[in-house]
Tab-separated table of all heavy atoms in Angstrom:
chain	number	residue	atom	x	y	z
A	88	ALA	N	144.686	199.316	-94.702
A	88	ALA	CA	144.990	198.745	-96.016
A	88	ALA	C	144.730	197.242	-95.969
A	88	ALA	O	145.076	196.581	-94.992
A	88	ALA	CB	146.435	199.023	-96.393
A	89	HIS	N	144.109	196.726	-97.010
A	89	HIS	CA	143.698	195.321	-97.011
A	89	HIS	C	143.579	194.856	-98.458
A	89	HIS	O	143.137	195.615	-99.313
A	89	HIS	CB	142.344	195.186	-96.310
A	89	HIS	CG	141.833	193.789	-96.257
A	89	HIS	ND1	142.167	192.921	-95.253
A	89	HIS	CD2	141.026	193.103	-97.095
A	89	HIS	CE1	141.561	191.757	-95.470
A	89	HIS	NE2	140.861	191.842	-96.588
A	90	GLY	N	143.980	193.627	-98.729
A	90	GLY	CA	143.798	193.126	-100.079
A	90	GLY	C	144.532	191.836	-100.344
A	90	GLY	O	144.969	191.137	-99.428
A	91	ASN	N	144.669	191.541	-101.636
A	91	ASN	CA	145.321	190.315	-102.085
A	91	ASN	C	146.562	190.678	-102.900
A	91	ASN	O	146.981	191.843	-102.917
A	91	ASN	CB	144.331	189.466	-102.888
A	91	ASN	CG	143.742	190.236	-104.059
A	91	ASN	OD1	144.379	191.106	-104.644
A	91	ASN	ND2	142.512	189.918	-104.407
A	92	ALA	N	147.145	189.716	-103.582
A	92	ALA	CA	148.371	189.958	-104.341
A	92	ALA	C	148.154	190.997	-105.445
A	92	ALA	O	149.000	191.865	-105.662
A	92	ALA	CB	148.884	188.646	-104.927
A	93	ILE	N	147.026	190.920	-106.127
A	93	ILE	CA	146.756	191.866	-107.213
A	93	ILE	C	146.630	193.286	-106.659
A	93	ILE	O	147.219	194.225	-107.185
A	93	ILE	CB	145.499	191.466	-108.006
A	93	ILE	CG1	145.738	190.139	-108.731
A	93	ILE	CG2	145.116	192.547	-109.006
A	93	ILE	CD1	144.508	189.528	-109.368
A	94	SER	N	145.880	193.444	-105.581
A	94	SER	CA	145.714	194.788	-105.026
A	94	SER	C	147.023	195.328	-104.458
A	94	SER	O	147.268	196.535	-104.511
A	94	SER	CB	144.602	194.816	-103.976
A	94	SER	OG	144.891	193.954	-102.907
A	95	PHE	N	147.910	194.455	-103.939
A	95	PHE	CA	149.220	194.908	-103.464
A	95	PHE	C	150.043	195.432	-104.640
A	95	PHE	O	150.697	196.470	-104.526
A	95	PHE	CB	149.973	193.786	-102.742
A	95	PHE	CG	151.249	194.252	-102.099
A	95	PHE	CD1	151.225	194.839	-100.839
A	95	PHE	CD2	152.470	194.105	-102.745
A	95	PHE	CE1	152.404	195.278	-100.236
A	95	PHE	CE2	153.648	194.539	-102.155
A	95	PHE	CZ	153.620	195.128	-100.900
A	96	ALA	N	150.003	194.730	-105.768
A	96	ALA	CA	150.727	195.192	-106.957
A	96	ALA	C	150.185	196.533	-107.437
A	96	ALA	O	150.942	197.392	-107.877
A	96	ALA	CB	150.648	194.149	-108.067
A	97	VAL	N	148.878	196.718	-107.337
A	97	VAL	CA	148.268	197.983	-107.752
A	97	VAL	C	148.653	199.103	-106.775
A	97	VAL	O	149.107	200.175	-107.193
A	97	VAL	CB	146.731	197.851	-107.855
A	97	VAL	CG1	146.072	199.206	-108.023
A	97	VAL	CG2	146.356	196.921	-109.002
A	98	GLU	N	148.485	198.862	-105.483
A	98	GLU	CA	148.695	199.911	-104.480
A	98	GLU	C	150.172	200.201	-104.208
A	98	GLU	O	150.560	201.365	-104.085
A	98	GLU	CB	147.996	199.543	-103.163
A	98	GLU	CG	146.497	199.447	-103.275
A	98	GLU	CD	145.844	200.756	-103.656
A	98	GLU	OE1	146.303	201.813	-103.176
A	98	GLU	OE2	144.888	200.740	-104.444
A	99	TYR	N	151.002	199.169	-104.096
A	99	TYR	CA	152.395	199.373	-103.709
A	99	TYR	C	153.327	199.553	-104.907
A	99	TYR	O	154.198	200.404	-104.899
A	99	TYR	CB	152.882	198.222	-102.827
A	99	TYR	CG	154.259	198.453	-102.269
A	99	TYR	CD1	154.450	199.346	-101.216
A	99	TYR	CD2	155.375	197.793	-102.787
A	99	TYR	CE1	155.715	199.578	-100.702
A	99	TYR	CE2	156.637	198.016	-102.282
A	99	TYR	CZ	156.803	198.914	-101.233
A	99	TYR	OH	158.066	199.144	-100.728
A	100	LEU	N	153.125	198.735	-105.943
A	100	LEU	CA	153.996	198.807	-107.121
A	100	LEU	C	153.465	199.800	-108.157
A	100	LEU	O	154.118	200.039	-109.166
A	100	LEU	CB	154.153	197.421	-107.743
A	100	LEU	CG	154.758	196.357	-106.823
A	100	LEU	CD1	154.776	194.998	-107.522
A	100	LEU	CD2	156.151	196.748	-106.368
A	101	HIS	N	152.262	200.325	-107.926
A	101	HIS	CA	151.639	201.344	-108.784
A	101	HIS	C	151.375	200.854	-110.211
A	101	HIS	O	151.490	201.612	-111.160
A	101	HIS	CB	152.463	202.631	-108.804
A	101	HIS	CG	152.719	203.170	-107.433
A	101	HIS	ND1	151.719	203.704	-106.647
A	101	HIS	CD2	153.859	203.214	-106.695
A	101	HIS	CE1	152.236	204.076	-105.490
A	101	HIS	NE2	153.523	203.789	-105.485
A	102	TYR	N	150.990	199.583	-110.336
A	102	TYR	CA	150.542	199.057	-111.623
A	102	TYR	C	149.056	199.342	-111.758
A	102	TYR	O	148.354	199.446	-110.754
A	102	TYR	CB	150.736	197.539	-111.702
A	102	TYR	CG	152.166	197.059	-111.751
A	102	TYR	CD1	152.515	195.849	-111.175
A	102	TYR	CD2	153.161	197.791	-112.380
A	102	TYR	CE1	153.820	195.377	-111.235
A	102	TYR	CE2	154.466	197.334	-112.436
A	102	TYR	CZ	154.785	196.127	-111.856
A	102	TYR	OH	156.079	195.674	-111.924
A	103	ASP	N	148.567	199.431	-113.004
A	103	ASP	CA	147.117	199.442	-113.131
A	103	ASP	C	146.658	197.990	-113.013
A	103	ASP	O	147.468	197.069	-112.935
A	103	ASP	CB	146.639	200.143	-114.413
A	103	ASP	CG	146.950	199.402	-115.695
A	103	ASP	OD1	147.066	198.161	-115.696
A	103	ASP	OD2	147.065	200.079	-116.742
A	104	PHE	N	145.350	197.776	-112.975
A	104	PHE	CA	144.812	196.444	-112.693
A	104	PHE	C	145.330	195.387	-113.675
A	104	PHE	O	145.806	194.325	-113.275
A	104	PHE	CB	143.281	196.482	-112.699
A	104	PHE	CG	142.646	195.179	-112.327
A	104	PHE	CD1	142.488	194.832	-111.003
A	104	PHE	CD2	142.217	194.285	-113.301
A	104	PHE	CE1	141.901	193.631	-110.640
A	104	PHE	CE2	141.630	193.083	-112.954
A	104	PHE	CZ	141.480	192.753	-111.618
A	105	ILE	N	145.250	195.673	-114.968
A	105	ILE	CA	145.669	194.693	-115.973
A	105	ILE	C	147.177	194.456	-115.911
A	105	ILE	O	147.637	193.321	-116.017
A	105	ILE	CB	145.232	195.129	-117.387
A	105	ILE	CG1	143.710	195.101	-117.469
A	105	ILE	CG2	145.841	194.256	-118.470
A	105	ILE	CD1	143.076	193.755	-117.179
A	106	GLU	N	147.964	195.510	-115.708
A	106	GLU	CA	149.416	195.337	-115.563
A	106	GLU	C	149.738	194.432	-114.384
A	106	GLU	O	150.630	193.590	-114.466
A	106	GLU	CB	150.108	196.686	-115.360
A	106	GLU	CG	150.168	197.562	-116.572
A	106	GLU	CD	150.719	198.943	-116.271
A	106	GLU	OE1	150.583	199.417	-115.125
A	106	GLU	OE2	151.270	199.547	-117.194
A	107	ALA	N	149.005	194.591	-113.283
A	107	ALA	CA	149.224	193.763	-112.102
A	107	ALA	C	148.915	192.297	-112.404
A	107	ALA	O	149.682	191.395	-112.054
A	107	ALA	CB	148.368	194.256	-110.938
Side-chain angles (χ1 to χ4, degrees):
H89 180 87
N91 56 31
I93 294 171
S94 60
F95 187 84
V97 169
E98 296 297 322
Y99 187 76
L100 300 176
H101 305 291
Y102 291 148
D103 69 27
F104 184 83
I105 294 301
E106 288 173 333

